[in-house]
């Protein structure tokens, strides 16, 4: 049988699984669904929706995405599973509503993992691979197998493990550079050696999952494509465990901008203009903003493709060149990733229909109820701020997408007095989960400190503030400020983000969001003790 070798690169998005493993990036089911819908619009081939066996919340997220996004003309929906029956069963059950389900089974292949983590021999692991891949294959047709820490495994043993998985029915073999250790040249050699030494390799799609510990993730993935790899595992904005993963936008735009270079590796003529992926690149920027907002993980300004400075030119010589002929200093057009230069500005006299039309032009389709809430918020902001730009609209809509946690604490009012000759004092009113309303006050070293102390007196959830940042959404004194907070509690990180023209109010809302996440986490933990997955995912 000859290998199913698509003449394009399959984009396997793992933002909702590996991406969500970024410290503090935990998403609730509604947020995962919002991202999954956007990933489908973006045109990814596979959505790794989560790790169904990890928790009831993960199971529910995979199930809901399978049901609502996994339609016949939609993407493959995938769940990760350890090579154990219970995980594989949970994955199959959660994926049941998907038209195209995939189970992604993994087990370590390196001696260091076998000896210290799994405490199993090579022979034992080979037997597990055969049994568990076959077990998954009985439940779904599409089975992916990953030998974890492949790039630090003994190559001869790795070939045996891969062959075993193929014999047991795997349809995709993914090679994870779990600790981000390889260089591009070494990646090329490994892929070539796998092709030469695994007898049945032609029967499967070859994939790579490259972590970014040395900043080489994208380079490693591109090197692998040159040698026959046809699936890339990646995440939006490159988020993920530790230093993250290959960024989807980098892979896709590298293949797009350097098409003549990559075409021949995919069996095309150099000048073929057909895209090398199915991604609708105009959706990239919006997807990046959505993921950044919902995970509260800000994109660094100099991040390739989606960073705020990616298309900005500071030096006079560069500005001069771009004004004369864009391509003097730009290798791609900002419009290609959905960044529009046409920044229409709305104001307090703009009506609902102009508001709705602009949102539609920006690609947001809101339900009537969400549109009403967003319009109300827009009017509040337009009263304080003369011009409401696309960036402000985006912040307003993203705030509306933050589904309130009904059973949590709601902030009713916050009031602060501060200045250079008074002690900063905050009064807050909060509705507790039981519906009762409480007011309390506190003093602090500054207005935000005072607000957080007053909230803590009422909410009483132990936490430690590990990060607080304010970012202005646009330029100007009247700009909206987006506040991001990261709290540590119960040995985990929780994030919150909110925007307002008043950064003390935004700070209060961001803090409440993070506290509600802790509240929900503690409630869930009490209801459903977690299986032992800690330390198993990388
Ligand atoms: O990094 C890794 O090895 C993984 C695998 C489960 C694919 O995330």
């Amino acid at each position: 049988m000859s290998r199913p070798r698509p003449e394009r690169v399959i984009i396997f998005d793992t933002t909702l699984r590996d991406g969500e493993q970024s410290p503090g990036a935990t998403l609730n089911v509604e947020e995962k669904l919002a991202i999954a819908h956007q990933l489908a619009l973006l045109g990814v081939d596979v959505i790794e929706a989560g790790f169904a066996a990890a928790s009831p919340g993960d199971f529910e997220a995979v199930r809901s995405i399978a049901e609502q996004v996994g339609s016949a003309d939609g993407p493959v929906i995938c769940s990760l599973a350890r090579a154990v029956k219970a995980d594989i069963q949970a994955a199959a059950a959660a994926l049941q509503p998907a038209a195209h389900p995939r189970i992604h089974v993994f087990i370590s292949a390196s001696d260091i993992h076998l000896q210290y983590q799994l405490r199993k021999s090579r022979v034992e692991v080979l037997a597990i691979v055969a049994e568990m891949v076959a077990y998954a294959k009985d439940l779904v047709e599409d089975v992916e197998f990953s030998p974890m820490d492949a790039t630090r495994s003994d190559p001869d043993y790795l070939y045996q493990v891969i062959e075993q998985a193929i014999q047991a029915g795997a349809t995709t073999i993914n090679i994870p550079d779990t600790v981000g250790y390889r260089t591009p040249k070494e990646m090329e050699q490994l892929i070539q050696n796998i092709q030469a030494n695994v007898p049945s390799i032609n029967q499967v799609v070859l994939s790579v999952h490259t972590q970014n510990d040395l900043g080489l993730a994208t380079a490693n993935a591109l090197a692998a494509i040159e040698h026959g790899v046809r699936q890339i595992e990646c995440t939006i904005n490159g988020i993920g465990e530790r230093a993250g993963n290959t960024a989807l936008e980098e892979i896709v735009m590298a293949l797009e901008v350097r098409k003549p270079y990559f075409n021949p590796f995919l069996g095309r003529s150099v000048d073929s203009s057909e895209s090398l992926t199915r991604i609708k690149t105009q959706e990239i920027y919006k997807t990046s903003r959505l993921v950044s907002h919902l995970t509260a993980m800000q994109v660094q300004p100099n991040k390739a493709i989606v960073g705020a400075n990616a298309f900005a030119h500071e030096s006079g010589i560069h500005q001069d060149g771009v004004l004369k002929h864009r391509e003097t200093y730009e290798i791609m057009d900002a419009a290609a990733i959905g960044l529009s230069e046409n920044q229409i500005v709305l104001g307090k006299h703009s009506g609902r229909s102009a508001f709705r039309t602009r949102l539609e032009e920006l690609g947001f389709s809101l339900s009537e109820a969400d549109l009403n809430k967003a319009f109300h918020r827009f009017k509040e902001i337009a009263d304080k701020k003369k011009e409401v730009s696309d960036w402000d609209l985006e912040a307003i809509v993203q705030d509306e997408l933050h589904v309130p946690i009904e059973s949590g604490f709601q902030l009713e009012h916050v009031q602060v007095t501060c200045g250079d000759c008074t002690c900063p004092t905050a009064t807050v009113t909060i509705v507790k989960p039981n519906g009762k309303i409480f007011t309390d006050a506190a003093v602090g070293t500054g207005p935000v400190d005072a607000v957080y102390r007053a909230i803590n007196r009422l909410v009483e959830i132990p936490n430690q503030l590990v990060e607080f940042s304010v970012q202005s959404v646009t330029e100007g004194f009247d700009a909206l400020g987006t506040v991001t907070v990261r709290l540590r509690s119960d040995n985990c990180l929780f994030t919150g983000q909110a925007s307002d023209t008043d950064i003390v109010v935004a700070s209060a809302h961001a803090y409440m969001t993070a506290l509600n996440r802790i509240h929900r986490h503690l409630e869930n933990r009490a209801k459903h003790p977690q299986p032992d997955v800690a330390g198993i995912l990388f």
Side-chain angles (χ1 to χ4, degrees):
M1 199 203 284
S2 71
R3 175 187 314 173
R5 227 188 206 220
E7 282 185 13
R8 65 179 174 87
V9 175
I10 296 171
I11 298 295
F12 176 113
D13 181 278
T14 182
T15 305
L16 297 174
R17 198 279 296 170
D18 200 313
E20 207 220 4
Q21 286 170 227
S22 314
T26 319
L27 298 160
N28 65 33
V29 176
E30 294 80 4
E31 290 163 339
K32 286 189 183 176
L33 261 172
I35 293 177
H37 279 295
Q38 180 55 34
L39 290 173
L41 276 179
L42 177 66
V44 306
D45 298 283
V46 185
I47 296 180
E48 189 163 48
F51 179 16
S55 73
D58 274 53
F59 182 92
E60 190 44 33
V62 177
R63 204 198 55 76
S64 307
I65 293 169
E67 191 177 80
Q68 296 187 38
V69 188
S71 58
D73 56 353
V76 171
I77 309 294
C78 172
S79 172
L80 187 67
R82 288 174 298 178
V84 295
K85 278 193 175 166
D87 277 27
I88 295 171
Q89 282 161 1
L95 291 170
Q96 212 268 326
H100 311 289
R102 173 182 296 186
I103 299 181
H104 178 185
V105 179
F106 75 98
I107 191 165
S108 291
S110 66
D111 286 336
I112 187 167
H113 281 208
L114 263 58
Q115 187 180 346
Y116 296 105
Q117 191 177 26
L118 293 183
R119 300 209 168 88
K120 292 204 186 300
S121 68
R122 288 184 176 191
V123 174
E124 283 172 307
V125 167
L126 267 181
I128 294 173
V129 171
E131 193 189 343
M132 289 303 129
V133 172
Y135 185 67
K137 187 75 177 180
D138 279 346
L139 302 174
V140 294
E141 177 50 38
D142 185 355
V143 177
E144 172 167 330
F145 174 73
S146 287
M148 191 154 75
D149 206 16
T151 54
R152 291 193 303 166
S153 303
D154 168 36
D156 289 328
Y157 179 62
L158 181 66
Y159 309 145
Q160 286 177 51
V161 171
I162 296 173
E163 180 64 20
Q164 190 71 272
I166 300 173
Q167 292 306 328
T171 39
T172 297
I173 293 292
N174 177 48
I175 307 299
D177 186 22
T178 301
V179 290
Y181 181 70
R182 287 265 163 168
T183 66
K185 269 267 164 276
E186 290 174 323
M187 197 62 168
E188 280 177 28
Q189 272 155 16
L190 178 65
I191 298 298
Q192 282 172 322
N193 289 342
I194 290 174
Q195 315 255 28
N197 291 290
V198 176
S200 307
I201 199 70
N202 280 338
Q203 295 175 19
V204 295
V205 172
L206 248 183
S207 165
V208 291
H209 175 111
T210 49
Q211 297 280 155
N212 204 29
D213 297 64
L214 295 174
L216 295 173
T218 301
N220 282 340
L222 289 172
I225 290 173
E226 293 183 21
H227 293 274
V229 159
R230 288 294 172 268
Q231 176 181 280
I232 299 296
E233 300 204 353
C234 47
T235 61
I236 301 295
N237 301 335
I239 64 171
E241 193 73 41
R242 305 184 308 279
N245 283 262
T246 311
L248 179 147
E249 61 277 10
E250 292 173 12
I251 285 291
V252 169
M253 290 314 287
L255 292 174
E256 185 60 28
V257 172
R258 301 300 312 278
K259 218 182 273 166
Y261 175 77
F262 286 103
N263 273 336
F265 296 115
L266 285 100
R268 302 180 182 193
S269 69
V270 175
D271 50 9
S272 162
S273 59
E274 210 186 313
S275 285
L276 290 166
T277 69
R278 284 208 182 130
I279 295 297
K280 296 184 189 67
T281 60
Q282 293 84 348
E283 294 289 325
I284 285 180
Y285 186 69
K286 184 145 64 77
T287 316
S288 159
R289 300 291 306 165
L290 178 71
V291 169
S292 165
H293 186 79
L294 292 181
T295 56
M297 295 197 61
Q298 283 169 17
V299 174
Q300 76 197 57
N302 59 328
K303 165 81 182 65
I305 320 292
V306 290
N309 295 347
F311 293 93
H313 300 277
E314 183 70 19
S315 117
I317 295 176
H318 287 209
Q319 287 174 351
D320 176 60
V322 169
L323 287 173
K324 288 180 174 146
H325 183 72
R326 189 183 59 77
E327 285 167 24
T328 49
Y329 288 96
E330 275 187 7
I331 58 165
M332 61 194 137
D333 188 349
I337 62 153
L339 253 174
S340 116
E341 282 177 15
N342 171 21
Q343 295 263 319
I344 288 186
V345 171
L346 299 180
K348 68 176 177 182
H349 299 299
S350 308
R352 182 187 300 266
S353 118
F355 178 71
R356 182 205 296 269
T357 307
R358 189 63 197 144
L359 285 187
E360 280 169 4
E361 282 165 3
L362 291 173
F364 294 109
S365 68
L366 265 59
S367 69
E368 208 52 35
D370 282 347
L371 186 85
N372 285 343
K373 275 199 285 173
F375 186 64
H376 179 72
R377 183 93 182 98
F378 158 72
K379 281 290 182 184
E380 278 176 358
I381 286 168
D383 260 344
K384 296 183 197 155
K385 196 173 181 297
K386 222 171 92 220
E387 294 181 335
V388 181
S389 69
D390 287 351
W391 299 81
D392 297 319
L393 288 180
E394 198 185 67
I396 293 171
V397 174
Q398 308 286 26
D399 269 2
E400 290 315 316
L401 281 176
H402 250 308
V403 183
I405 300 163
E406 261 105 50
S407 61
F409 298 85
Q410 309 281 343
L411 181 70
E412 279 281 289
H413 298 295
V414 52
Q415 196 188 330
V416 186
T417 39
C418 62
D420 61 359
C421 50
T422 180
C423 178
T425 310
T427 309
V428 296
T429 301
I430 277 170
V431 187
K432 291 208 176 178
N434 61 9
K436 293 204 171 130
I437 301 176
F438 293 87
T439 297
D440 209 333
V443 292
T445 51
V448 175
D449 185 40
V451 169
Y452 285 8
R453 284 174 191 273
I455 291 176
N456 282 342
R457 287 169 70 93
L458 292 172
V459 172
E460 295 179 300
I461 293 177
N463 71 85
Q464 187 199 350
L465 181 68
V466 291
E467 190 190 315
F468 174 89
S469 66
V470 188
Q471 225 186 10
S472 144
V473 173
T474 48
E475 291 160 6
F477 290 135
D478 60 355
L480 275 183
T482 297
V483 173
T484 307
V485 297
R486 237 173 268 284
L487 308 182
R488 189 183 304 284
S489 182
D490 194 32
N491 274 330
C492 303
L493 284 178
F494 300 85
T495 48
Q497 200 171 59
S499 306
D500 201 283
T501 46
D502 183 326
I503 58 162
V504 177
V505 174
S507 305
H509 283 290
Y511 193 53
M512 291 299 295
T513 304
L515 286 175
N516 273 324
R517 285 172 189 260
I518 303 178
H519 172 65
R520 196 145 84 154
H521 161 85
L522 295 175
E523 269 191 347
N524 282 342
R525 210 199 42 186
K527 277 193 224 142
H528 313 280
Q530 301 291 292
D532 180 19
V533 291
I536 296 215
L537 293 174
F538 288 83

